[in-house]
Amino acid sequence: MTIFRHILTPDGRRAFAFVAIVGGCVTFTLFAAVGVYLLRDDAEKAFWLALAAHAQVLVGLTALAALLVKRVLKVGRDGVEISDGVEE
């Protein structure tokens, strides 16, 4: 039960999300590598599969960037305030 106490904290949830995103990226990269290898004789299909794999990498990197950067978005009557946690 001790591990669940750490997962329930905000830092624990962020760490779990990081592990889940990285695990998903590794899994889909392996699937794409095997797929491109199996399609190595058909250049057109291998090209489109490799292009889709690049899109998956872009989605994974975007998810990691969103997870690792703490941003606050506040919308009010005075306008929109975006803060990235950097002290001035």
Side-chain angles (χ1 to χ4, degrees):
M1 292 302 270
T2 323
I3 193 165
F4 294 117
R5 195 172 343 133
H6 296 296
I7 291 176
L8 294 178
T9 65
D11 287 336
R13 286 191 298 271
R14 290 173 62 86
F16 188 75
F18 177 78
V19 169
I21 290 170
V22 169
C25 289
V26 168
T27 302
F28 284 121
T29 301
L30 290 175
F31 274 119
V34 169
V36 170
Y37 176 75
L38 292 175
L39 291 174
R40 67 188 179 273
D41 296 329
D42 189 355
E44 184 179 359
K45 288 181 183 175
F47 169 77
W48 289 111
L49 183 60
L51 196 64
H54 279 81
Q56 284 181 335
V57 168
L58 179 64
V59 168
L61 288 176
T62 304
L64 284 174
L67 178 68
L68 296 176
V69 175
K70 293 183 181 180
R71 292 222 166 125
V72 177
L73 179 66
K74 295 180 183 178
V75 179
R77 293 182 183 172
D78 297 332
V80 178
E81 177 187 342
I82 300 174
S83 171
D84 60 358
V86 176
E87 299 293 327
E88 295 181 6

